[in-house]
Amino acid sequence: MGEKKTARVVVMASLTVIGLISMPAPIVAHHRAATSYDQSNTITVKGKVTDFYWKNPHSTLFVDVTDGPFKGRNYAVELNSPGAMIRLGWTNRQFQVGDEVVINVHPSKTGAAVGECLSCAVIVNGKKTKPQ
């Protein structure tokens, strides 16, 4: 009886260690994505919404840029997760294809047409909207 209990403890301890070792990698990898954006710089993206994905881990807004250095390109804006956006007062109908938007983003450090806006004001069809 003592050997079974010891074996069970060893198995449980091994599974716990394996779980602890394997869990931080995806968590750290996901949150390191924030280092992809220049947090000390903000640019304004103006254009028409071409798509809006309300999904985890981050919602994404796509905009055909009509002004500025990315004019003529489709710009991707990483937003908060749907859960965080709901808590801030946003909905899955926040952006519709064809909406005119003006959004300030932290641009990609690589110069790609990608930025992030996790808690910012956005002008949609002339009306300022900001998470509450």
Side-chain angles (χ1 to χ4, degrees):
M1 195 72 157
E3 287 180 26
K4 281 188 175 181
K5 188 174 183 179
T6 302
R8 190 176 308 164
V9 168
V10 169
V11 168
M12 291 304 289
S14 297
L15 290 174
T16 301
V17 169
I18 290 169
L20 290 173
I21 290 171
S22 64
M23 287 300 286
I27 292 169
V28 170
H30 168 75
H31 288 283
R32 282 194 181 151
T35 63
S36 299
Y37 304 108
D38 182 356
Q39 300 297 314
S40 66
N41 189 16
T42 301
I43 65 167
T44 300
V45 175
K46 299 177 185 178
K48 284 191 176 189
V49 173
T50 58
D51 224 332
F52 176 50
Y53 295 119
W54 180 263
K55 63 179 185 168
N56 283 315
H58 294 274
S59 295
T60 309
L61 177 67
F62 294 91
V63 179
D64 274 345
V65 181
T66 57
D67 193 23
F70 292 97
K71 183 177 182 177
R73 297 184 61 193
N74 192 256
Y75 199 96
V77 181
E78 181 179 342
L79 302 167
N80 270 317
S81 69
M85 291 177 77
I86 288 168
R87 287 189 297 277
L88 294 169
W90 292 38
T91 73
N92 62 346
R93 293 179 303 281
Q94 194 72 35
F95 305 101
Q96 301 296 316
V97 172
D99 282 349
E100 294 280 346
V101 296
V102 178
I103 184 169
N104 292 321
V105 302
H106 297 292
S108 167
K109 288 182 176 179
T110 67
V114 180
E116 67 93 20
C117 168
L118 298 181
S119 185
C120 62
V122 181
I123 299 172
V124 181
N125 298 321
K127 182 179 176 187
K128 188 173 184 178
T129 178
K130 182 172 174 67
Q132 302 301 321

